[in-house]
Amino acid sequence: DIQMTQSPSSVSASVGDRVTITCRASQGISSWLAWYQQKPGKPPKLLIDAASSLQTGVPSRFSGSGSGTDFTLTISSLQPEDFAIYYCQQANSFPLTFGGGTKVEIK
Amino acid sequence: VQLVESGGGLVQPGGFFELSCAASGFTFSSFYMTWVRQAPGKGLEWVATIKQDGSEEHYLDSVKGRFTISRDNAKSSLYLQMNSLRVEDTAIYYCARDHLPFGSGSPLEYWGQGTLVTVSS
């Protein structure tokens, strides 16, 4: 099984800050990586697939990069509505696996 | 696109539950479908995925032999039969749809609101 390790597990940031979350796969997954955002009491929302492809309607302040084993999600200028938990997920093979999540909190 | 789960509730360890997911707004038979769960206060855990025509199923190791994913394309419905339930199966169970028709199973573009299954004596 492919293990996904996210860091940090939480980050405290202010509105306007640049935030970077990393995700590492235990083996190469090419660009088969997705990022999700989850707010309290809601299901996850797909933000990015294929490591860097922004979903329709997702603000351009979100971006993804990486391939192989190392990936990043960057929020260029944090907005109030971005405080949430972010998960990476490998889409390379079954069993599908998620990272442990990164909670983005208000400083 | 709408995915509406039902069937959750409280069950004793060793018990049985069947979850349903009613899909609408898309051609159900064209997409892989998946169940993902989230224990209270915890992260996301993939549970099972089924191919468009039901010919292929994939399961999390800890649920193999206990859970069965199935679908009825005529009814645009997805199911999860859960047997021999354990306390650690307690979670919100989400139904989710693949990103692309005739895709590979993920990523998961659309999610239901989830249904809570509590396993407790």
Side-chain angles (χ1 to χ4, degrees):
Chain A
D1 298 1
I2 300 173
Q3 309 304 317
M4 305 301 293
T5 304
Q6 268 183 253
S7 61
S9 57
S10 67
V11 56
S12 192
S14 300
V15 172
D17 283 353
R18 181 184 184 88
V19 172
T20 298
I21 298 167
T22 64
C23 181
R24 175 165 288 175
S26 61
Q27 63 189 75
I29 58 170
S30 186
S31 295
W32 293 100
L33 186 99
W35 289 98
Y36 300 85
Q37 176 195 65
Q38 188 178 31
K39 296 183 178 179
K42 298 292 187 182
K45 173 186 176 182
L46 178 64
L47 297 178
I48 288 171
D49 81 286
S52 60
S53 179
L54 208 62
Q55 294 302 291
T56 303
V58 175
S60 59
R61 62 182 179 272
F62 290 91
S63 63
S65 64
S67 67
T69 60
D70 294 310
F71 302 87
T72 60
L73 172 69
T74 300
I75 310 172
S76 60
S77 177
L78 200 64
Q79 297 302 301
E81 59 269 29
D82 301 337
F83 292 96
I85 300 176
Y86 293 84
Y87 296 93
C88 62
Q89 177 238 318
Q90 64 83 13
N92 182 76
S93 60
F94 292 102
L96 304 180
T97 44
F98 291 88
T102 295
K103 187 173 186 179
V104 177
E105 300 177 294
I106 300 173
K107 193 177 219 176
Chain B
V1 172
Q2 264 204 319
L3 298 169
V4 180
E5 302 93 340
S6 60
L10 174 65
V11 65
Q12 291 190 335
F16 165 87
F17 248 132
E18 183 174 59
L19 305 182
S20 300
C21 172
S24 60
F26 64 99
T27 305
F28 183 75
S29 59
S30 296
F31 291 85
Y32 271 88
M33 295 295 296
T34 289
W35 289 98
V36 174
R37 68 186 180 185
Q38 187 168 36
K42 301 297 184 182
L44 302 170
E45 182 175 53
W46 169 81
V47 174
T49 294
I50 187 167
K51 197 175 179 180
Q52 295 92 340
D53 61 359
S55 63
E56 182 183 307
E57 300 166 21
H58 302 274
Y59 295 95
L60 178 69
D61 277 351
S62 64
V63 308
K64 267 181 199 171
R66 300 189 299 123
F67 289 13
T68 302
I69 188 171
S70 62
R71 64 191 297 159
D72 185 335
N73 287 344
K75 294 182 178 179
S76 295
S77 292
L78 177 72
Y79 306 99
L80 185 68
Q81 288 186 344
M82 304 185 293
N83 291 298
S84 303
L85 281 161
R86 304 169 180 168
V87 170
E88 55 266 33
D89 295 320
T90 294
I92 296 171
Y93 285 74
Y94 295 102
C95 162
R97 194 203 83 175
D98 194 3
H99 178 38
L100 295 173
F102 304 106
S104 60
S106 84
L108 305 169
E109 183 176 10
Y110 291 99
W111 297 65
Q113 291 299 308
T115 187
L116 177 63
V117 173
T118 303
V119 185
S120 174
S121 54

